[in-house]
Amino acid sequence: MPELPEVETIRRGLVERLVGCQITGVRVRQAYLREKVEVDTLETSVVGRTIVGIERRAKYLLLQLCPEGILVFHLGMTGRLWLGKPMAQDAIHDHLIFRLGPNLELRFHDIRRFGMCFYTMAQALLDHPRFRHLGPEPLSLEFSSLYLQKRAQGLWKPVKNFLMDATVVVGVGNIYASESLFLAKVHPSREVWRLRPLHWDRICTAIKEVLQAAIDAHGTSFSDYVDSEGRRGDFQNQLLVYGREGEPCTRDGRPIRRIVQAGRSSFYCPSCQR
Ligand SMILES: [Zn+2]
């Protein structure tokens, strides 16, 4: 599943080639994604407009259009955006095809169809049911140790589950939560009300470091993630605990352990994470 660093990598790749392009046509082969694609709205509101910028909020890609409007994509579990020369034949899971003049097209391809695509306006986005509860971006100034302390007050919840809650902070997925807690030397099961300011300082710094390093490495490729150019990420080679059960901790050589929390695997060192 693409996480924040992967989506950010895709965004950067698309910005270079997509900004300035006019959408000249749209073809919907399969409207039944996670939410039904509104075909009429795409045809009337998107076709004829020019892409003037691409932003990211959480794991959503926001294509800013002129005249004003936003075309929103979410890649779900297996979604991909292919940008390239128009193809004579559609692949089986190419659901949406946006024509960008005679020589370029953007294809939304999604095997499991958990992805989404919809059109909205900038003001409406803030109140949109999928956006209004989202916590701050982890790489923003708003996301600070003090902010985490306030949000954690009185909560009886394991710290890993707390960090993966998108209303607390967006984009800290399973892999990145394990890696951040290892760097911060905090046990993933620690209840948040027990953590002190010094722990939150370390956690906040670690999350920013891990996500920035993952973006710098163009994301993590485990199964089939590739960016808009078909390139794989490289961060899987830099993981310190995730997927390393039984291997020695890089700090003290003790074997990494795996536990299951809220149905997801957590990896940690029982010796240096307390
Ligand atoms: Zn250790």
Side-chain angles (χ1 to χ4, degrees), residues 182 249 251-252 254 269 271-272:
F182 175 73
C249 167
R251 278 196 289 249
D252 55 33
R254 300 288 185 84
C269 171
S271 166
C272 58

Side-chain angles (χ1 to χ4, degrees), residues 8-271:
E8 179 61 22
T9 300
I10 292 166
R11 186 192 72 80
R12 290 178 184 193
L14 290 175
V15 161
E16 288 171 27
R17 297 176 63 196
L18 214 46
V19 170
C21 291
Q22 188 186 30
I23 300 173
T24 52
V26 60
R27 201 149 53 81
V28 178
R29 298 183 65 236
Q30 171 59 274
Y32 289 91
L33 306 180
R34 181 154 151 203
E35 283 177 1
K36 186 171 181 283
V37 176
E38 291 178 30
V39 182
D40 289 349
T41 309
L42 285 191
E43 279 170 356
T44 55
S45 305
V46 169
V47 175
R49 294 191 180 192
T50 302
I51 300 163
V52 290
I54 306 176
E55 290 193 1
R56 179 190 55 72
R57 175 71 175 113
K59 295 196 284 176
Y60 293 88
L61 285 166
L62 313 175
L63 274 58
Q64 287 159 328
L65 307 177
C66 179
E68 199 209 322
I70 301 177
L71 179 61
V72 182
F73 287 100
H74 192 286
L75 302 176
M77 307 273 290
T78 54
R80 288 181 186 180
L81 283 167
W82 289 111
L83 188 60
K85 288 206 164 84
M87 286 193 266
Q89 275 200 319
D90 298 323
I92 185 166
H93 299 294
D94 287 348
H95 306 312
L96 312 172
I97 298 115
F98 296 87
R99 251 186 304 124
L100 306 158
N103 300 318
L104 198 63
E105 64 183 14
L106 180 70
R107 286 177 179 254
F108 181 75
H109 176 102
D110 191 356
I111 295 171
R112 294 187 62 181
R113 285 198 264 138
F114 283 114
M116 281 186 278
C117 174
F118 59 89
Y119 170 85
T120 186
M121 300 290 281
Q123 300 106 313
L125 196 63
L126 295 173
D127 292 325
H128 192 280
R130 297 228 170 245
F131 284 78
R132 64 177 174 231
H133 301 298
L134 294 178
E137 289 287 326
L139 296 173
S140 70
L141 290 175
E142 195 187 344
F143 180 69
S144 65
S145 173
L146 204 60
Y147 165 80
L148 283 170
Q149 284 170 57
K150 282 185 186 154
R151 287 298 304 259
Q153 260 168 19
L155 272 187
W156 295 63
K157 198 173 188 182
V159 62
K160 176 158 175 275
N161 302 11
F162 173 76
L163 296 175
M164 287 180 67
D165 178 349
T167 68
V168 172
V169 54
V170 299
V172 182
N174 199 39
I175 297 172
Y176 301 112
S178 277
E179 291 294 307
S180 301
L181 288 170
F182 175 73
L183 282 191
K185 300 185 183 174
V186 174
H187 193 291
S189 300
R190 267 296 275 279
E191 289 201 346
V192 289
W193 68 273
R194 292 183 55 204
L195 294 172
R196 296 197 302 273
L198 108 127
H199 296 121
W200 290 117
D201 287 351
R202 296 205 307 243
I203 290 168
C204 182
T205 304
I207 287 173
K208 288 176 192 277
E209 275 179 19
V210 166
L211 291 174
Q212 191 57 57
I215 291 168
D216 293 343
H218 306 110
T220 305
S221 287
F222 262 111
S223 48
D224 58 356
Y225 161 75
V226 288
D227 70 9
S228 60
E229 314 279 321
R231 292 173 299 216
R232 288 171 59 82
D234 196 38
F235 196 67
Q236 65 277 12
N237 302 316
Q238 298 175 38
L239 297 174
L240 298 172
V241 285
Y242 188 87
R244 296 189 170 271
E245 185 180 11
E247 293 180 32
C249 167
T250 50
R251 278 196 289 249
D252 55 33
R254 300 288 185 84
I256 300 297
R257 271 195 206 153
R258 183 179 79 93
I259 49 170
V260 176
Q261 294 180 285
R264 312 292 302 275
S265 288
S266 301
F267 297 86
Y268 69 101
C269 171
S271 166

